Amino acid sequence: MRTRLSLAAAAVGALVGALAPMASASATGPDVPSGLFTSPSSGADCGTSAPYTTIDNTDISLRGTFSDPAGGVLSAHFKIWPTGYGTGADVADTTISVVSGSVGTLVVPRSVITQLLATDGITGNGTFSWTARIEHGSLASDWSAECHFVFDGVRPTPPSAVSPQFPDGSNGWPANTGQARTPGTFTLSSGGVSDVVAYAYSTGWDPTVRTVTTTAGASVDVTLTPPSSGSWTLTVYTLDAGGNRSDSFIYRFYANA
């Protein structure tokens, strides 16, 4: 028997009884849910075909439009599970109330997402499938086509930075360092985190955060020019494919006059 997990559920327009007239289920039954989508977005067509969109370590909303020709208050039935599994306790099986013709929303906390993965022995990242159907009285629609997304529950480790022109000054002013108003090359590295897709950086003389993209966590070079002599900092963090952000790394260096 599949375990029903406790999920935070919200249905747009799902106030029952007083807000919608009672109606009997139509003879043909309710329609298959339409307009299914995930928030954050899982891409075109709700991720029905690979490659699937990666979503970061956050709560995830499952949404769709639920209708029956007879109108009234319906039950929107959602199921979500790690793709390739879904045979028991690794299925979140939840029903919410929704007024016919409106959008129903089921919020799946990230704690539930990670619990589903852990049930199947998966840590960190995992692909999910979900589907929905409409139930009205004794009748039910067919299940919708399956939606998919990849959940990335792991933040990248902090990056690093080095510069041959402006060496590390964390232990004080180096004997040999570059001059102010002279460009230097700074190499940003992800520490081997293969799903890093971008570095974001700013400097002590310019707080504007700039982003440079990368592939598979490869190192990148940026050129920076300290405007005057003295102590300066370069602050860097990384973003992975799911949008998870690492802690910042601060590189301190000095420029000669």
Side-chain angles (χ1 to χ4, degrees), residues 71-161:
V73 177
L74 314 175
S75 294
H77 191 165
F78 293 87
K79 291 182 181 181
I80 180 171
W81 64 94
T83 302
Y85 297 88
T87 59
D90 57 357
V91 179
D93 186 339
T94 302
T95 301
I96 64 173
S97 295
V98 59
V99 175
S100 178
S102 65
V103 174
T105 302
L106 177 71
V107 180
V108 186
R110 61 182 179 179
S111 59
V112 170
I113 292 291
T114 55
Q115 180 183 343
L116 293 175
L117 290 173
T119 299
D120 292 318
I122 304 169
T123 58
N125 303 354
T127 302
F128 277 85
S129 303
W130 68 273
T131 185
R133 75 175 184 181
I134 302 170
E135 297 165 357
H136 196 181
S138 62
L139 300 177
S141 73
D142 291 334
W143 289 98
S144 68
E146 291 180 6
C147 299
H148 302 88
F149 62 87
V150 178
F151 178 78
D152 185 349
V154 180
R155 296 178 65 204
T157 56
S160 63

Side-chain angles (χ1 to χ4, degrees), residues 12 30 44 65 67 79 133 142 149 154 158 167 179 195-196 198-201 209 211 238 243:
V12 176
T65 299
S67 300
K79 291 182 181 181
R133 75 175 184 181
D142 291 334
F149 62 87
V154 180
Q179 291 184 312
D195 67 342
V196 163
Y199 297 88
Y201 66 93
V209 177
T211 302
T238 58

Side-chain angles (χ1 to χ4, degrees), residues 164-181:
Q165 293 84 17
F166 297 97
D168 177 27
S170 57
N171 293 321
W173 203 304
N176 296 299
T177 191
Q179 291 184 312
R181 296 172 294 281

